[in-house]
Amino acid sequence: MEWSLERVREMVAGGMQSMRDCESSAFGTAMCLLLLFVWYCYRVGREHSSSPLRGGYSAEPSRVGGGGGALISTERDGKAKGRPVSGVEEPNGFAYCQSAESFRCTNTGDGLNQKLYHSLQDYAKRYTWSGMGRVHKGVRDQGRYLTSRPTIQRPEVFFLPDLPSAPFFSRDAQKHDVELLERSFPALLAEFESIYHAPPSRAGSSLPLGWKSNSTPHGQWWTFYLLNQGTPLALNARRCPRAWRVLSQLRTFIANNVFGNACFSVLTPGALITEHYGPTNVRLRCHLGLRVPSSCELVVGGEPQCWSEGSCLLFDDSFLHRAFHEGGPEDGPRVVFMVDLWHPNVAAAERQALDYIFTPGR
């Protein structure tokens, strides 16, 4: 056969015409299926290499706040996970996690990611996938979110995408619960005074019943939990019936998962809680001022705020934050009643799913 440019053109034109004439033929169908198969393999391979549920979790260490006490930290929730216990602070002011009992001190690598994903699948089978778009996205891409967030906001355990972010929130964000807490100020203050006795000044002395000491580089920080990581402390709750009643009346209190806490928190003069991140952005931390000397401050995302007696401060503790009391012994302690409330933009269906996924002990 003699080959020429003209001959090649005729063959190409004939082939193209044949393909047009045979679009519905078996050959055309096979070609379409082959292209679809190649596209599917490409997508699966891409997701396999990037998904945190399949080994794509970054091993980049996160730097977080100082070590905690025997229970979950209430103002300093951010803690490094999977790190050795150490009380030595890093040059940038962060320290390793010291509380093995804290949920955010566990390793959040592939094992936890897979566990959360399986919990979400189990929830969807029992209930529904409806409204689970953001939760599914957050669980699926958790590793990427936790390591790629800006340093000003980097939750340590779980990031729910597409939530409005700000260091501080207006009291209107959870108006009902804020007003209820502020109306309860006299009762909560009286109950605090009934359980609080001046802690011992000498080192090694035991704290009063129900109180826990948290590690700080300066000063002292004590907490009295009613709910710790979603688990009620029955003995403490019995001693504070009015505070427990207030918690039961709150509409947005996180009472059923590990992100929920409620406690009385005391900072002595000279105390410093170093910079740290909280575990998640799905909650707002609420501080009701009970006793507030003038030399105390809370800094969230670089924005300073002062507590006020009888008033609530709402803030997103997934932002970098710290607290301090620079007063003298004559000023007395700074005392707040702290509760964790749902972020106002987390929908009811999402709250139910997160309660299921992060049930204590799951």
Side-chain angles (χ1 to χ4, degrees), residues 271-283:
L272 167 67
I273 300 175
T274 54
E275 290 181 319
H276 61 281
Y277 303 98
T280 182
N281 65 329
V282 303
R283 75 184 187 192

Side-chain angles (χ1 to χ4, degrees), residues 117-242:
Y117 195 79
H118 291 156
S119 294
L120 176 60
Q121 288 181 317
D122 186 46
Y123 172 84
K125 289 176 182 177
R126 291 169 179 255
Y127 302 101
T128 178
W129 277 108
S130 178
M132 293 299 104
R134 289 195 302 188
V135 176
H136 180 265
K137 183 179 179 182
V139 170
R140 183 192 63 202
D141 297 330
Q142 180 182 171
R144 177 170 62 85
Y145 285 130
L146 297 186
T147 57
S148 65
R149 294 292 306 163
T151 55
I152 193 173
Q153 185 195 27
R154 185 173 290 177
E156 290 296 309
V157 176
F158 180 76
F159 178 82
L160 185 65
D162 306 322
L163 281 184
S165 296
F168 289 96
F169 277 68
S170 163
R171 56 186 289 110
D172 291 335
Q174 295 295 5
K175 185 176 181 180
H176 173 274
D177 288 353
V178 165
E179 291 180 347
L180 174 59
L181 286 165
E182 292 179 348
R183 287 197 306 270
S184 305
F185 165 70
L188 293 171
L189 177 59
E191 204 147 65
F192 163 75
E193 291 173 343
S194 72
I195 61 171
Y196 180 78
H197 306 284
S201 57
R202 62 184 187 277
S205 300
S206 61
L207 287 167
L209 181 66
W211 287 90
K212 299 296 179 182
S213 178
N214 303 281
S215 176
T216 55
H218 307 293
Q220 303 295 323
W221 171 26
W222 293 286
T223 47
F224 187 92
Y225 281 94
L226 302 179
L227 188 87
N228 177 41
Q229 298 184 119
T231 301
L233 276 68
L235 294 179
N236 286 0
R238 289 194 191 104
R239 297 177 63 192
C240 300
R242 287 174 289 185

